[in-house]
Amino acid sequence: MASPSTAIAAAPGEIARAVLMPGDPLRARYVAERYFENPVCFNTVRNMLGYTGTYKGRRLSVMGHGMGVPSIGLYAYELYEFYGVDTILRIGSAGGLGETVRLKDVVIAMSASTDSHFADQYGFPGQLCPAASYPLLRTAVRTAERLGVRTNVGQVFTSDQFYHEDPGVNEQYRKFGMLALEMETAGLYWTAQRAGRQALSLLTISDHLLTKEALSPMERQESFSEMMEVALETAWETLEDE
């Protein structure tokens, strides 16, 4: 059967009900090859690699989502609406903003403030705050505690700009309690809320935007592994044996 999507080449049934989504498709391949049993590639369209395999006996998928709200919004919409996915966990990197946030920490995004106008399409009569699914958030916090991974739970800022014209904007974000700055979480949460599905964003702090500290390439690899393991265990907890 042909794919119902123009951006994902998978046939119905080739994608699991829970999907991990890093921004970088090569990181999706890394997750599949390192953690999955018998991974099978279901997508190569635009090199946005996607794989399905099993993790501890439960079927799970991983796929890249690209950069920015429009990109993750497209892929999340198609996964939810065309492929029966009910859970997406973003696994990405972010720049730290909060005073309590350190390099290598995993930020669990409870909600996302943003300068994106992605949600204008919904015609919501007010300001629609994009938020995580609480069951996933609760499971991720408990999982991180069990694995000994240092986390911060709170609000992040999803920006449409990587290079911002205002040099003082990061300090403004910090004043309002933003823990980290990234570019996709709000789009994922809005898409999940509209679809009535689950979503959670887990973010490794790779650099701190106020202190100017940054991880080395080796430190990034090790820290991202901690985040991936929290996400894998969280997804596993949400699935029933198939």
Side-chain angles (χ1 to χ4, degrees):
M1 183 181 296
S3 167
S5 163
T6 59
I8 303 174
E14 290 186 330
I15 302 176
R17 291 189 298 109
V19 182
L20 273 59
M21 298 197 80
D24 184 352
L26 294 181
R27 197 175 299 156
R29 184 172 69 185
Y30 174 85
V31 170
E33 292 177 347
R34 176 167 179 176
Y35 295 105
F36 285 4
E37 301 157 2
N38 304 313
V40 175
C41 182
F42 64 75
N43 190 66
T44 59
V45 176
R46 295 179 178 268
N47 287 324
M48 195 58 71
L49 303 175
Y51 300 84
T52 297
T54 56
Y55 176 74
K56 294 186 176 180
R58 295 182 179 177
R59 196 162 176 260
L60 191 62
S61 294
V62 61
M63 181 180 176
H65 62 61
M67 295 179 66
V69 167
S71 185
I72 197 170
L74 184 158
Y75 288 110
Y77 181 93
E78 294 198 346
L79 290 171
Y80 286 138
E81 300 293 344
F82 299 161
Y83 291 99
V85 171
D86 57 35
T87 299
I88 294 177
L89 292 96
R90 164 160 152 68
I91 48 173
S93 60
L97 289 170
E99 293 181 357
T100 64
V101 174
R102 304 175 188 171
L103 294 181
K104 301 185 183 181
D105 282 2
V106 175
V107 168
I108 302 176
M110 184 169 58
S111 59
S113 290
T114 183
D115 54 15
S116 171
H117 290 274
F118 183 85
D120 289 357
Q121 63 182 304
Y122 303 131
F124 186 81
Q127 295 184 5
L128 180 61
C129 178
S133 303
Y134 179 70
L136 284 179
L137 188 149
R138 177 184 59 198
T139 300
V141 171
R142 291 175 176 174
T143 299
E145 290 174 350
R146 175 170 59 83
L147 296 177
V149 176
R150 179 181 160 87
T151 61
N152 291 260
V153 182
Q155 190 168 181
V156 302
F157 191 89
T158 298
S159 179
D160 273 350
Q161 298 84 29
F162 189 85
Y163 299 105
H164 203 289
E165 189 70 13
D166 180 0
V169 70
N170 291 339
E171 180 62 27
Q172 288 295 103
Y173 297 151
R174 187 194 66 79
K175 286 180 180 179
F176 281 86
M178 303 298 120
L179 296 179
L181 179 66
E182 53 86 72
M183 299 185 71
E184 290 85 22
T185 296
L188 172 60
Y189 286 2
W190 273 324
T191 304
Q193 285 179 232
R194 180 62 183 89
R197 309 296 171 83
Q198 293 198 97
L200 182 66
S201 187
L202 304 173
L203 306 163
T204 296
I205 299 302
S206 58
D207 58 297
H208 203 289
L209 299 174
L210 299 180
T211 67
K212 308 305 181 184
E213 299 172 284
L215 296 179
S216 69
M218 182 59 68
E219 289 173 324
R220 286 181 182 232
Q221 179 176 326
E222 293 171 352
S223 299
F224 287 177
S225 294
E226 290 186 342
M227 171 184 61
M228 291 170 186
E229 289 162 12
V230 172
L232 286 161
E233 290 292 313
T234 299
W236 188 88
E237 290 285 346
T238 69
L239 295 169
E240 296 179 357
D241 290 314
E242 298 183 349

mmCIF file of all heavy atoms in Angstrom, residues 10 15 17 20-21 27 36 41 57 92 98 115 120 129 134 138 142 144 150 170 179 185 195-196 205 242:
data_model
loop_
_atom_site.group_PDB
_atom_site.id
_atom_site.type_symbol
_atom_site.label_atom_id
_atom_site.label_comp_id
_atom_site.label_asym_id
_atom_site.label_seq_id
_atom_site.Cartn_x
_atom_site.Cartn_y
_atom_site.Cartn_z
ATOM 1 N N ALA A 10 6.722 5.658 4.596
ATOM 2 C CA ALA A 10 6.284 4.422 5.246
ATOM 3 C C ALA A 10 4.872 4.045 4.827
ATOM 4 O O ALA A 10 4.005 4.907 4.622
ATOM 5 C CB ALA A 10 6.340 4.581 6.757
ATOM 6 N N ILE A 15 5.154 2.124 11.286
ATOM 7 C CA ILE A 15 5.613 3.019 12.338
ATOM 8 C C ILE A 15 4.909 2.658 13.641
ATOM 9 O O ILE A 15 3.701 2.430 13.661
ATOM 10 C CB ILE A 15 5.335 4.496 11.968
ATOM 11 C CG1 ILE A 15 6.037 4.839 10.651
ATOM 12 C CG2 ILE A 15 5.809 5.424 13.079
ATOM 13 C CD1 ILE A 15 5.753 6.239 10.156
ATOM 14 N N ARG A 17 3.491 3.020 17.649
ATOM 15 C CA ARG A 17 2.589 4.003 18.264
ATOM 16 C C ARG A 17 3.337 5.092 19.015
ATOM 17 O O ARG A 17 2.805 6.174 19.236
ATOM 18 C CB ARG A 17 1.615 3.296 19.210
ATOM 19 C CG ARG A 17 0.604 2.420 18.508
ATOM 20 C CD ARG A 17 -0.461 1.914 19.453
ATOM 21 N NE ARG A 17 0.076 1.076 20.508
ATOM 22 C CZ ARG A 17 0.169 1.432 21.776
ATOM 23 N NH1 ARG A 17 -0.226 2.628 22.162
ATOM 24 N NH2 ARG A 17 0.657 0.595 22.679
ATOM 25 N N LEU A 20 10.300 8.457 18.983
ATOM 26 C CA LEU A 20 11.283 9.418 19.465
ATOM 27 C C LEU A 20 11.709 10.275 18.285
ATOM 28 O O LEU A 20 11.914 9.751 17.175
ATOM 29 C CB LEU A 20 12.500 8.706 20.057
ATOM 30 C CG LEU A 20 12.448 8.304 21.536
ATOM 31 C CD1 LEU A 20 11.285 7.370 21.809
ATOM 32 C CD2 LEU A 20 13.769 7.669 21.961
ATOM 33 N N MET A 21 11.859 11.598 18.502
ATOM 34 C CA MET A 21 12.198 12.493 17.393
ATOM 35 C C MET A 21 13.337 13.447 17.750
ATOM 36 O O MET A 21 13.120 14.444 18.453
ATOM 37 C CB MET A 21 10.968 13.288 16.948
ATOM 38 C CG MET A 21 9.840 12.429 16.425
ATOM 39 S SD MET A 21 8.611 13.378 15.470
ATOM 40 C CE MET A 21 9.470 13.487 13.885
ATOM 41 N N ARG A 27 21.081 11.419 14.122
ATOM 42 C CA ARG A 27 20.897 10.999 15.504
ATOM 43 C C ARG A 27 19.798 9.951 15.600
ATOM 44 O O ARG A 27 19.841 9.071 16.461
ATOM 45 C CB ARG A 27 20.593 12.193 16.404
ATOM 46 C CG ARG A 27 20.791 11.895 17.890
ATOM 47 C CD ARG A 27 20.583 13.141 18.733
ATOM 48 N NE ARG A 27 21.545 14.180 18.373
ATOM 49 C CZ ARG A 27 21.351 15.473 18.576
ATOM 50 N NH1 ARG A 27 20.229 15.910 19.109
ATOM 51 N NH2 ARG A 27 22.277 16.348 18.243
ATOM 52 N N PHE A 36 17.981 -0.172 19.405
ATOM 53 C CA PHE A 36 16.885 -1.013 18.915
ATOM 54 C C PHE A 36 17.375 -2.412 18.572
ATOM 55 O O PHE A 36 18.510 -2.611 18.133
ATOM 56 C CB PHE A 36 16.248 -0.408 17.657
ATOM 57 C CG PHE A 36 15.364 0.789 17.913
ATOM 58 C CD1 PHE A 36 15.233 1.337 19.178
ATOM 59 C CD2 PHE A 36 14.660 1.367 16.872
ATOM 60 C CE1 PHE A 36 14.421 2.432 19.409
ATOM 61 C CE2 PHE A 36 13.839 2.471 17.080
ATOM 62 C CZ PHE A 36 13.715 2.996 18.341
ATOM 63 N N CYS A 41 14.624 0.554 8.453
ATOM 64 C CA CYS A 41 14.437 1.931 7.997
ATOM 65 C C CYS A 41 13.123 2.048 7.233
ATOM 66 O O CYS A 41 12.904 1.323 6.260
ATOM 67 C CB CYS A 41 15.604 2.343 7.119
ATOM 68 S SG CYS A 41 15.515 4.058 6.540
ATOM 69 N N GLY A 57 11.687 -5.552 23.996
ATOM 70 C CA GLY A 57 10.537 -6.344 23.582
ATOM 71 C C GLY A 57 9.323 -5.554 23.144
ATOM 72 O O GLY A 57 8.318 -6.146 22.749
ATOM 73 N N GLY A 92 16.210 16.554 21.951
ATOM 74 C CA GLY A 92 17.018 17.551 21.277
ATOM 75 C C GLY A 92 18.002 18.231 22.202
ATOM 76 O O GLY A 92 18.160 17.871 23.369
ATOM 77 N N GLY A 98 18.301 29.409 32.488
ATOM 78 C CA GLY A 98 18.045 29.510 33.916
ATOM 79 C C GLY A 98 19.305 29.428 34.755
ATOM 80 O O GLY A 98 20.276 28.773 34.392
ATOM 81 N N ASP A 115 7.700 32.909 20.127
ATOM 82 C CA ASP A 115 7.377 34.015 19.248
ATOM 83 C C ASP A 115 6.810 33.514 17.915
ATOM 84 O O ASP A 115 6.594 34.282 16.981
ATOM 85 C CB ASP A 115 8.588 34.919 19.008
ATOM 86 C CG ASP A 115 9.808 34.162 18.503
ATOM 87 O OD1 ASP A 115 9.667 33.007 18.071
ATOM 88 O OD2 ASP A 115 10.912 34.740 18.533
ATOM 89 N N ASP A 120 -1.810 30.415 15.036
ATOM 90 C CA ASP A 120 -2.827 31.317 14.510
ATOM 91 C C ASP A 120 -3.855 30.563 13.665
ATOM 92 O O ASP A 120 -5.027 30.953 13.586
ATOM 93 C CB ASP A 120 -2.184 32.418 13.668
ATOM 94 C CG ASP A 120 -1.408 33.425 14.501
ATOM 95 O OD1 ASP A 120 -1.410 33.304 15.747
ATOM 96 O OD2 ASP A 120 -0.783 34.316 13.904
ATOM 97 N N CYS A 129 -1.627 28.208 25.155
ATOM 98 C CA CYS A 129 -0.317 27.847 25.692
ATOM 99 C C CYS A 129 -0.002 26.388 25.364
ATOM 100 O O CYS A 129 -0.729 25.487 25.799
ATOM 101 C CB CYS A 129 -0.285 28.050 27.203
ATOM 102 S SG CYS A 129 1.291 27.564 27.951
ATOM 103 N N TYR A 134 0.871 15.485 30.671
ATOM 104 C CA TYR A 134 1.309 15.245 32.048
ATOM 105 C C TYR A 134 1.718 13.792 32.311
ATOM 106 O O TYR A 134 2.735 13.560 32.981
ATOM 107 C CB TYR A 134 0.240 15.675 33.044
ATOM 108 C CG TYR A 134 0.667 15.415 34.468
ATOM 109 C CD1 TYR A 134 1.687 16.164 35.050
ATOM 110 C CD2 TYR A 134 0.101 14.388 35.214
ATOM 111 C CE1 TYR A 134 2.112 15.913 36.336
ATOM 112 C CE2 TYR A 134 0.520 14.135 36.505
ATOM 113 C CZ TYR A 134 1.529 14.889 37.065
ATOM 114 O OH TYR A 134 1.951 14.634 38.339
ATOM 115 N N ARG A 138 5.325 13.139 33.942
ATOM 116 C CA ARG A 138 5.477 12.463 35.240
ATOM 117 C C ARG A 138 6.374 11.236 35.109
ATOM 118 O O ARG A 138 7.278 11.016 35.930
ATOM 119 C CB ARG A 138 4.091 12.056 35.748
ATOM 120 C CG ARG A 138 4.110 11.278 37.067
ATOM 121 C CD ARG A 138 2.695 10.852 37.424
ATOM 122 N NE ARG A 138 2.123 10.021 36.355
ATOM 123 C CZ ARG A 138 0.815 9.781 36.213
ATOM 124 N NH1 ARG A 138 -0.052 10.323 37.039
ATOM 125 N NH2 ARG A 138 0.391 9.015 35.223
ATOM 126 N N ARG A 142 10.202 10.622 36.878
ATOM 127 C CA ARG A 142 10.479 9.443 37.695
ATOM 128 C C ARG A 142 11.600 8.605 37.086
ATOM 129 O O ARG A 142 12.464 8.076 37.806
ATOM 130 C CB ARG A 142 9.213 8.610 37.847
ATOM 131 C CG ARG A 142 8.131 9.281 38.698
ATOM 132 C CD ARG A 142 6.871 8.447 38.704
ATOM 133 N NE ARG A 142 5.849 9.028 39.582
ATOM 134 C CZ ARG A 142 4.608 8.567 39.680
ATOM 135 N NH1 ARG A 142 4.231 7.511 38.975
ATOM 136 N NH2 ARG A 142 3.750 9.146 40.508
ATOM 137 N N ALA A 144 14.075 9.652 35.097
ATOM 138 C CA ALA A 144 15.351 10.344 35.266
ATOM 139 C C ALA A 144 15.880 10.171 36.689
ATOM 140 O O ALA A 144 17.084 9.968 36.899
ATOM 141 C CB ALA A 144 15.188 11.823 34.934
ATOM 142 N N ARG A 150 20.415 14.209 36.100
ATOM 143 C CA ARG A 150 20.033 15.508 36.644
ATOM 144 C C ARG A 150 19.082 16.216 35.680
ATOM 145 O O ARG A 150 19.388 16.370 34.496
ATOM 146 C CB ARG A 150 21.272 16.371 36.883
ATOM 147 C CG ARG A 150 20.956 17.765 37.426
ATOM 148 C CD ARG A 150 22.224 18.579 37.627
ATOM 149 N NE ARG A 150 21.923 20.010 37.673
ATOM 150 C CZ ARG A 150 21.590 20.675 38.766
ATOM 151 N NH1 ARG A 150 21.532 20.036 39.927
ATOM 152 N NH2 ARG A 150 21.318 21.967 38.718
ATOM 153 N N ASN A 170 17.838 37.265 25.343
ATOM 154 C CA ASN A 170 17.993 36.087 26.201
ATOM 155 C C ASN A 170 17.814 36.439 27.673
ATOM 156 O O ASN A 170 17.266 35.651 28.460
ATOM 157 C CB ASN A 170 19.351 35.429 25.980
ATOM 158 C CG ASN A 170 19.458 34.779 24.615
ATOM 159 O OD1 ASN A 170 18.446 34.468 23.994
ATOM 160 N ND2 ASN A 170 20.676 34.578 24.143
ATOM 161 N N LEU A 179 13.795 28.204 31.184
ATOM 162 C CA LEU A 179 14.963 27.402 31.539
ATOM 163 C C LEU A 179 15.937 27.255 30.390
ATOM 164 O O LEU A 179 17.145 27.124 30.593
ATOM 165 C CB LEU A 179 14.520 26.004 31.991
ATOM 166 C CG LEU A 179 13.670 25.933 33.251
ATOM 167 C CD1 LEU A 179 13.301 24.479 33.543
ATOM 168 C CD2 LEU A 179 14.391 26.547 34.444
ATOM 169 N N THR A 185 9.765 22.918 20.347
ATOM 170 C CA THR A 185 8.836 22.340 21.323
ATOM 171 C C THR A 185 7.415 22.871 21.192
ATOM 172 O O THR A 185 6.448 22.100 21.246
ATOM 173 C CB THR A 185 9.357 22.549 22.750
ATOM 174 O OG1 THR A 185 10.593 21.829 22.899
ATOM 175 C CG2 THR A 185 8.365 22.058 23.787
ATOM 176 N N ALA A 195 -4.416 17.386 17.948
ATOM 177 C CA ALA A 195 -4.711 16.013 17.539
ATOM 178 C C ALA A 195 -5.245 15.159 18.683
ATOM 179 O O ALA A 195 -5.699 14.035 18.466
ATOM 180 C CB ALA A 195 -3.444 15.365 16.964
ATOM 181 N N GLY A 196 -5.191 15.679 19.917
ATOM 182 C CA GLY A 196 -5.613 14.891 21.064
ATOM 183 C C GLY A 196 -4.661 13.761 21.383
ATOM 184 O O GLY A 196 -5.073 12.707 21.874
ATOM 185 N N ILE A 205 21.182 20.268 27.717
ATOM 186 C CA ILE A 205 21.820 21.580 27.674
ATOM 187 C C ILE A 205 23.246 21.413 27.148
ATOM 188 O O ILE A 205 24.125 20.895 27.835
ATOM 189 C CB ILE A 205 21.829 22.242 29.068
ATOM 190 C CG1 ILE A 205 20.403 22.432 29.566
ATOM 191 C CG2 ILE A 205 22.561 23.588 28.999
ATOM 192 C CD1 ILE A 205 19.513 23.276 28.670
ATOM 193 N N GLU A 242 2.927 -5.759 22.491
ATOM 194 C CA GLU A 242 2.157 -5.993 21.277
ATOM 195 C C GLU A 242 2.336 -7.421 20.803
ATOM 196 O O GLU A 242 3.364 -8.011 21.000
ATOM 197 C CB GLU A 242 2.590 -4.998 20.201
ATOM 198 C CG GLU A 242 2.329 -3.548 20.599
ATOM 199 C CD GLU A 242 2.693 -2.563 19.485
ATOM 200 O OE1 GLU A 242 3.327 -2.989 18.499
ATOM 201 O OE2 GLU A 242 2.322 -1.398 19.598
#
